């Protein structure tokens, strides 16, 4: 019996994405919109929610131009991807996302050429997503 209590069940490599205990990390479900070219989104990808359909897109991606007579879509910073995820071209992809927590701003990913703005940080803070750089080990 005592031997069973000491059996190693697994291990995890610390990647530095989560940098604090407050606010507490909260995981929820989301759905990433299908893409025109299949891509792997990495853990820590900052996602924005579409105002039109509620689907998630990588922050910094421009919404498609509206069709004649339609209103333009907007993307609002919303959450952070929990795990590496392949996003395909046929169907939208259900994913686990961090809906709250404390994260290292150097470890999150956005669309190429995009820089996280203060307005993005303010919006995420309203959802209890905050950024704090990891403290280096002594």
């Amino acid at each position: 019996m005592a031997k069973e209590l000491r059996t190693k069940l697994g291990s995890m490599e610390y990647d530095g994405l989560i940098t604090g205990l407050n606010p507490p990390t909260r995981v929820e479900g989301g759905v990433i919109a299908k893409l025109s070219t299949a891509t792997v989104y990495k853990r820590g990808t900052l996602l924005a929610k579409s105002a039109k359909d509620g689907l998630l897109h990588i922050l910094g991606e421009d919404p498609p131009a509206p069709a004649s007579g339609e209103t333009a879509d907007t993307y609002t910073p919303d959450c952070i991807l929990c795990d590496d995820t392949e996003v395909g071209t046929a169907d939208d992809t259900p994913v686990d996302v961090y809906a709250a927590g404390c994260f290292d701003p150097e470890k999150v990913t956005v669309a190429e050429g995009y820089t996280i703005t203060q307005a993005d940080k303010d919006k995420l803070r309203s959802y209890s997503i905050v950024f704090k750089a990891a403290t280096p080990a002594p």
Side-chain angles (χ1 to χ4, degrees):
M1 174 87 173
K3 183 177 180 182
E4 292 176 19
L5 293 176
R6 289 179 273 171
T7 302
K8 184 175 180 177
L9 298 176
S11 64
M12 176 182 129
E13 188 174 316
Y14 178 67
D15 64 3
L17 177 63
I18 298 172
T19 58
L21 299 175
N22 287 310
T25 303
R26 188 175 77 243
V27 176
E28 294 181 357
V31 180
I32 297 178
K34 63 184 172 187
L35 302 171
S36 57
T37 304
T39 303
V40 174
Y41 283 174
K42 295 292 187 185
R43 169 179 160 81
T45 299
L46 191 49
L47 300 169
K49 187 176 277 189
S50 165
K52 277 192 170 183
D53 56 20
L55 295 175
L56 299 171
H57 303 263
I58 188 168
L59 182 64
E61 179 181 285
D62 291 326
S68 178
E70 289 185 5
T71 56
D73 195 1
T74 57
Y75 294 165
T76 305
D78 189 72
C79 54
I80 297 174
L81 188 62
C82 289
D83 302 301
D84 292 356
T85 303
E86 184 172 349
V87 181
T89 59
D91 296 313
D92 299 330
T93 306
V95 294
D96 292 328
V97 295
Y98 293 112
C102 184
F103 302 93
D104 187 337
E106 298 298 318
K107 301 289 183 173
V108 297
T109 304
V110 295
E112 188 174 331
Y114 186 78
T115 302
I116 300 171
T117 66
Q118 188 60 47
D120 295 335
K121 291 178 183 178
D122 292 343
K123 185 63 177 175
L124 290 165
R125 194 175 305 113
S126 73
Y127 299 139
S128 295
I129 293 177
V130 297
F131 294 108
K132 179 179 98 175
T135 305

